């Protein structure tokens, strides 16, 4: 048994494909196939079932072996990272992905992190919730900041999610709207309003459930651009729903151009803000340090 064999079965299991694993690891498909066959002979059990229709799928015994192989891979990454720290002065790379509405949290934490670790290269991207999760799952990003709801059937396989804030869904209106003077509002009081929504999985799920429970509202547009959504509200063209933790640091809410209103008599909405990371990838020292700064900023806010 050797380290390459363990890395091969992990990569093949991740994509259910010998060819993709070969491309990612820069070796031939036949090399991976023969290596796995040799490992299976040595262990005396079948790790992967290979077929044309379903690719390479772990057997029951294989899942146990793969879990141990994942742990070996994590330790190898930890060894390499520790060695790098000895050979350099706080030099590294950190990739972060986030929903657009959550960038404020990231930027504040980046300012504190950058002050202490100026030589770490930061790569920050905005994506949809499902794209953030997939980027974390494929190890294309180290940390994802997302909103999550257990009510929504999103595939979280291979993802460890840590909730940092439990949220409340609120209604947001222009300061010039007659609704702005209400401290609370019921669903029945906004059914004649025009709606603009952020195009995220959780938000669209919430809106559809709201429509099903009451009645469909007129929709101005749906967008993944927060500034466009915000401008439509400011100009009294529409109202929106959003989690309070997303909007509390949004400049038009802070300066009073957009007013939050408590949504009453609708029932609890299970939604939280948190961190997504891969279950089978070691989180680097820099990533752990950044998470510490991020949690501190979120607690302060």
């Amino acid at each position: 048994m050797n380290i390459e064999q363990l890395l091969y079965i992990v990569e093949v299991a991740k994509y259910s494909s010998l060819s993709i694993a070969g491309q990612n690891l820069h070796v031939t498909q036949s090399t991976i196939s023969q290596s796995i066959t040799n490992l299976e002979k040595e262990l005396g059990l079948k790790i992967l079932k290979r077929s044309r229709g379903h690719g390479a799928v772990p057997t029951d015994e294989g899942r146990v072996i793969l879990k141990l192989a994942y742990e070996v891979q994590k330790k190898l990454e930890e060894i390499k990272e520790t060695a790098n720290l000895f050979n350099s002065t706080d030099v590294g790379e950190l990739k972060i992905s986030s929903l657009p509405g959550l960038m404020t949290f990231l930027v504040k934490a980046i300012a504190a992190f950058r002050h202490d670790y100026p030589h770490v290269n930061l790569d920050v991207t905005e994506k949809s919730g499902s794209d953030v999760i997939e980027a974390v799952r494929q190890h294309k990003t180290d940390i994802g900041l997302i909103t999550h709801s257990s009510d929504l059937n999103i595939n979280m396989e291979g993802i460890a999610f840590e909730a940092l804030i439990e949220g409340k869904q609120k209604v947001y209106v222009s300061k010039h709207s007659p609704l702005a003077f209400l401290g609370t509002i019921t669903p029945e009081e906004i059914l004649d309003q025009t709606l603009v929504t952020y195009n995220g999985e959780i938000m669209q799920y919430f809106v559809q459930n709201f429509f099903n429970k009451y009645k469909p509202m007129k929709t101005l547009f749906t967008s993944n651009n927060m500034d466009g959504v915000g401008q439509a509200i400011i100009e009294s063209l529409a109202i929106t729903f959003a989690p309070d933790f997303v909007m509390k640091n949004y400049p038009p809410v802070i300066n009073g151009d957009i007013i939050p209103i408590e949504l009453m008599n609708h029932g609890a909405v299970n939604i939280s803000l948190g961190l997504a990371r891969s279950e089978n990838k070691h989180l680097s020292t820099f990533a752990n340090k950044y998470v510490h700064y991020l949690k501190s900023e979120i607690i302060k806010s």
Side-chain angles (χ1 to χ4, degrees), residues 37-289:
T37 298
N38 291 340
L39 178 60
E40 290 174 332
K41 286 180 179 178
E42 180 180 346
L43 297 178
L45 55 83
K46 201 74 173 173
I47 298 173
L48 298 165
K49 291 185 294 187
R50 293 179 248 177
S51 66
R52 289 184 179 275
H54 300 91
V57 180
T59 62
D60 291 340
E61 297 88 351
R63 289 189 183 91
V64 177
I65 300 299
L66 279 163
K67 186 176 186 298
L68 296 172
Y70 285 138
E71 293 301 319
V72 171
Q73 188 180 50
K74 285 183 184 179
K75 287 299 179 183
L76 287 172
E77 291 172 355
E78 193 173 342
I79 289 169
K80 290 178 183 177
E81 182 188 331
T82 301
N84 287 336
L85 289 176
F86 283 127
N87 294 321
S88 61
T89 306
D90 291 338
V91 175
E93 183 180 46
L94 179 58
K95 295 182 178 181
I96 307 166
S97 295
S98 170
L99 291 173
L102 307 180
M103 285 299 292
T104 302
F105 295 109
L106 292 178
V107 171
K108 288 183 178 180
I110 285 171
F113 178 83
R114 176 65 76 188
H115 180 268
D116 292 337
Y117 301 95
H119 302 297
V120 176
N121 295 319
L122 289 164
D123 181 359
V124 182
T125 56
E126 291 184 334
K127 302 175 182 287
S128 69
S130 60
D131 285 343
V132 171
I133 290 170
E134 195 58 31
V136 171
R137 183 181 289 118
Q138 294 185 14
H139 302 170
K140 293 180 179 178
T141 193
D142 299 301
I143 307 167
L145 187 62
I146 61 172
T147 56
H148 179 63
S149 173
S150 58
D151 296 332
L152 187 56
N153 186 27
I154 294 178
N155 178 17
M156 298 291 283
E157 183 179 356
I159 301 296
F161 177 75
E162 180 184 0
L164 302 178
I165 302 177
E166 298 301 324
K168 182 185 293 184
Q169 200 79 295
K170 289 187 177 182
V171 176
Y172 291 83
V173 305
S174 167
K175 68 180 181 180
H176 301 297
S177 169
L179 302 177
F181 301 99
L182 302 176
T184 62
I185 203 164
T186 65
E188 290 76 12
E189 291 175 298
I190 58 174
L191 294 179
D192 62 342
Q193 296 290 313
T194 298
L195 191 66
V196 59
T197 60
Y198 177 75
N199 189 23
E201 292 91 343
I202 290 179
M203 184 52 56
Q204 294 308 306
Y205 175 81
F206 173 84
V207 169
Q208 191 57 54
N209 277 358
F210 190 90
F211 287 176
N212 291 340
K213 187 172 182 179
Y214 304 102
K215 73 172 188 177
M217 296 171 61
K218 291 179 292 184
T219 300
L220 184 64
F221 62 82
T222 298
S223 174
N224 58 6
N225 184 300
M226 277 295 295
D227 289 335
V229 172
Q231 195 60 39
I233 299 168
I234 291 170
E235 295 182 11
S236 298
L237 299 175
I239 66 172
T240 197
F241 299 109
D244 51 2
F245 55 70
V246 171
M247 298 293 280
K248 66 185 298 183
N249 293 312
Y250 187 45
V253 173
I254 294 173
N255 65 29
D257 287 333
I258 294 177
I259 307 297
I261 307 174
E262 295 277 350
L263 179 62
M264 307 296 289
N265 302 336
H266 178 60
V269 177
N270 178 23
I271 186 169
S272 55
L273 166 69
L275 294 171
R277 61 178 180 81
S278 172
E279 287 182 338
N280 54 44
K281 184 176 185 294
H282 167 69
L283 205 58
S284 70
T285 300
F286 294 123
N288 276 312
K289 291 182 182 297

